[in-house]
Amino acid sequence: MKPLNYSTLISSLIIGISIVAASFILQGAEDLKYVPAVTEGADSVQTDPPLMTLEQTAEFLNLTEYQVKSIISSDNALREQGASEGMPFPYIVVQNEMYVSKLGLISWLDEATRNRRRFE
């Protein structure tokens, strides 16, 4: 019988450990492949609807519905007179119901705040 060669035994052991380690690594990579890459901010944009009712808009702005309607009326009146500058209040009317664009509202709010608009 041949004497056992330690270098062959050590090489076999290293190859075996490498194969086992590689299988664990590949299994982990396979699991990660199915996880969608979502950032914190993108998740809320995808789940929130792009339009809000007047009630949702009032809640979002921490105002009453009456105050939101007053802002829209004032903005429309100033536009008809040609006295309003900047971005109009971002709403649409669908079958006599008003809906406000959430992204448009954020832009409008930023501009209105920078220009210190007053609504009485």
Side-chain angles (χ1 to χ4, degrees), residues 54-79:
L54 285 180
E55 181 181 346
Q56 292 169 328
T57 302
E59 186 177 323
F60 181 77
L61 294 173
N62 197 27
L63 300 172
T64 65
E65 281 186 62
Y66 176 79
Q67 289 173 317
V68 173
K69 288 178 183 178
S70 176
I71 289 171
I72 293 171
S73 296
S74 297
D75 192 51
N76 287 340
L78 289 172
R79 290 201 177 282

Side-chain angles (χ1 to χ4, degrees), residues 2-120:
K2 283 185 173 183
L4 188 58
N5 188 348
Y6 288 110
S7 63
T8 305
L9 181 63
I10 293 173
S11 298
S12 299
L13 186 62
I14 290 173
I15 290 174
I17 292 173
S18 298
I19 290 171
V20 171
S23 68
F24 281 117
I25 291 171
L26 291 176
Q27 180 183 6
E30 188 69 25
D31 291 343
L32 290 176
K33 185 168 80 172
Y34 297 108
V35 175
V38 177
T39 60
E40 261 182 61
D43 188 36
S44 65
V45 172
Q46 290 175 353
T47 58
D48 289 346
L51 294 176
M52 298 183 294
T53 63
L54 285 180
E55 181 181 346
Q56 292 169 328
T57 302
E59 186 177 323
F60 181 77
L61 294 173
N62 197 27
L63 300 172
T64 65
E65 281 186 62
Y66 176 79
Q67 289 173 317
V68 173
K69 288 178 183 178
S70 176
I71 289 171
I72 293 171
S73 296
S74 297
D75 192 51
N76 287 340
L78 289 172
R79 290 201 177 282
E80 286 176 9
Q81 297 171 2
S84 180
E85 296 179 5
M87 181 178 179
F89 193 86
Y91 75 94
I92 60 172
V93 178
V94 178
Q95 296 178 347
N96 295 328
E97 292 290 325
M98 293 175 103
Y99 295 95
V100 179
S101 164
K102 189 168 193 170
L103 293 176
L105 180 61
I106 292 169
S107 297
W108 177 86
L109 186 59
D110 182 51
E111 181 186 352
T113 304
R114 279 188 281 114
N115 293 331
R116 300 196 197 300
R117 285 192 196 166
R118 293 180 62 102
F119 296 96
E120 311 274 337

